[in-house]
Amino acid sequence: NAGVMQNPRHLVRRRGQEARLRCSPMKGHSHVYWYRQLPEEGLKFMVYLQKENIIDESGMPKERFSAEFPKEGPSILRIQQVVRGDSAAYFCASSPPEGKRTEAFFGQGTRLTVV
Amino acid sequence: DAKTTQPPSMDCAEGRAANLPCNHSTISGNEYVYWYRQIHSQGPQYIIHGLKNNETNEMASLIITEDRKSSTLILPHATLRDTAVYYCIVRPENNDYKLSFGAGTTVTVRA
């Protein structure tokens, strides 16, 4: 059973470009969460998605950031017009459907560098 | 969410037990204590969680005090690969997706 898969592992973008980060949850998991870790800081919650629904995006910056989890395919975190301050590690986690309390499993992250 | 307090760092000798404390004096009755760790440049890894009883799995043991205001994560035989940042997180039952990571404890296991 493959774990949470994130790609790319490393992404370099110039200021003003778009960044697309992908996350494939573990098999059987229908809940996806995105976290951001700025350099030398802890992980901060960004958004919680279920298939085709955004449940909680309270941690997402109001502008330039969006997330989706389509019926088919991976979850996508999209950052438009990237700035240097977006440089960070972005982690995705997944968990099974409701009704079963369990831990969230994290991917290895995508390290975004904006130059 | 209940706040947790952990020492910023600690050293441990390889092969010895590592005892990581966590204070969560404002924890509510339905909140669980979770422990995660993050090895350098990797994603967080779940270790263990508990409500009020002590818990043990293949990775660690979790001791929660009777008043639930503090807990201790025990790594029974620390290895060099256990060097990581360890996070103690209190997780509300009705908000169980939003993990609030603090600064954690940086544990360095030395040979």
Side-chain angles (χ1 to χ4, degrees):
Chain A
N1 187 12
V4 178
M5 303 300 292
Q6 290 188 248
N7 68 82
R9 291 292 310 276
H10 300 274
L11 181 61
V12 179
R13 284 287 178 266
R14 295 185 184 280
R15 282 178 293 172
Q17 290 184 319
E18 177 181 285
R20 280 185 178 240
L21 288 62
R22 296 174 184 76
C23 170
S24 296
M26 288 181 68
K27 185 177 181 180
H29 286 193
S30 56
H31 298 195
V32 165
Y33 322 87
W34 286 92
Y35 288 77
R36 177 168 66 173
Q37 187 171 31
L38 295 169
E40 308 303 323
E41 295 188 16
L43 288 93
K44 303 295 183 188
F45 168 81
M46 298 181 74
V47 61
Y48 162 41
L49 308 105
Q50 295 180 18
K51 283 286 186 181
E52 300 184 280
N53 285 305
I54 296 175
I55 306 303
D56 182 346
E57 55 182 350
S58 59
M60 288 274 276
K62 300 299 180 188
E63 298 178 348
R64 302 186 297 107
F65 284 72
S66 63
E68 63 177 4
F69 189 17
K71 186 176 180 181
E72 301 292 337
S75 174
I76 306 289
L77 179 67
R78 181 183 180 203
I79 311 172
Q80 295 178 292
Q81 300 175 324
V82 295
V83 300
R84 289 232 171 103
D86 297 332
S87 295
Y90 292 83
F91 292 97
C92 169
S94 72
S95 66
E98 292 170 5
K100 180 180 178 182
R101 277 199 70 86
T102 186
E103 65 278 12
F105 293 89
F106 282 81
Q108 293 303 298
T110 293
R111 277 147 190 85
L112 172 66
T113 303
V114 180
V115 297
Chain B
D1 295 0
K3 182 178 177 180
T4 62
T5 304
Q6 298 178 250
S9 64
M10 64 183 295
D11 285 0
C12 176
E14 186 179 22
R16 303 293 294 271
N19 297 310
L20 284 62
C22 179
N23 288 323
H24 31 79
S25 58
T26 60
I27 191 170
S28 299
N30 63 351
E31 290 179 318
Y32 289 70
V33 180
Y34 276 74
W35 283 83
Y36 279 78
R37 72 179 183 184
Q38 187 175 23
I39 297 171
H40 182 63
S41 298
Q42 297 184 24
Q45 178 188 22
Y46 165 82
I47 301 174
I48 199 167
H49 74 281
L51 182 62
K52 50 183 150 182
N53 297 320
N54 297 339
E55 302 288 343
T56 296
N57 63 20
E58 65 279 3
M59 289 184 67
S61 295
L62 174 61
I63 309 298
I64 302 174
T65 58
E66 192 170 342
D67 63 8
R68 302 207 327 121
K69 294 183 183 298
S70 66
S71 60
T72 301
L73 179 74
I74 301 172
L75 307 178
H77 304 286
T79 70
L80 298 179
R81 287 176 292 181
D82 291 323
T83 293
V85 180
Y86 287 76
Y87 299 99
C88 170
I89 298 168
V90 172
R91 190 177 187 188
E93 188 173 69
N94 63 348
N95 191 17
D96 66 357
Y97 55 86
K98 196 179 288 186
L99 296 170
S100 296
F101 290 85
T105 297
T106 299
V107 174
T108 303
V109 181
R110 303 191 186 280

